[in-house]
């Protein structure tokens, strides 16, 4: 069984990592944790990127991705401690 990421998955991972590094500085995370809320602006950006549609079939408006693709996105947001729903 080959567990290596595909080129597309590696690109996705790098894209999400670059996005959260750029859009989610640590001072923003600390402020959100202090307030006890979640980042509405960041959530809107995530929705616009289309990452939430990854695991769904295109016939339903999705991106025909899989759970590995979605897992890569979630891993990068967890790595940066993103405060989103």
């Amino acid at each position: 069984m080959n567990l290596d990421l595909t080129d597309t998955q590696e690109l996705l991972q790098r894209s999400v990592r670059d996005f959260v590094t750029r859009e989610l500085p640590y001072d923003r995370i600390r402020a959100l944790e202090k307030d006890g809320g979640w980042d509405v602006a960041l959530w809107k950006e995530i929705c616009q990127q289309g990452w939430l549609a990854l695991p769904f079939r295109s016939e339903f408006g999705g991106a025909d991705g899989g759970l590995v693709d979605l897992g890569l996105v979630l891993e990068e947001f967890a790595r940066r401690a993103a405060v989103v729903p």
Side-chain angles (χ1 to χ4, degrees):
M1 177 188 292
N2 183 0
L3 298 177
D4 294 334
L5 298 178
T6 65
D7 290 343
T8 303
Q9 289 169 331
E10 288 179 358
L11 177 62
L12 172 64
Q13 185 179 45
R14 280 193 308 273
S15 297
V16 176
R17 186 174 294 170
D18 291 347
F19 172 83
V20 294
T21 300
R22 182 181 65 250
E23 298 295 326
L24 197 53
Y26 288 116
D27 59 338
R28 185 173 175 184
I29 297 167
R30 285 187 206 99
L32 289 166
E33 288 176 341
K34 191 175 190 179
D35 294 339
W38 56 282
D39 198 327
V40 176
L42 180 64
W43 183 247
K44 288 179 182 180
E45 286 290 324
I46 292 168
C47 293
Q48 289 176 355
Q49 294 294 331
W51 294 324
L52 300 177
L54 277 172
F56 302 105
R57 296 193 315 225
S58 59
E59 66 187 275
F60 301 116
D64 286 329
L67 291 179
V68 172
D69 302 323
L70 184 60
L72 292 171
V73 172
L74 295 175
E75 179 180 37
E76 293 306 319
F77 280 103
R79 182 186 311 275
R80 198 65 176 196
V83 183
V84 292

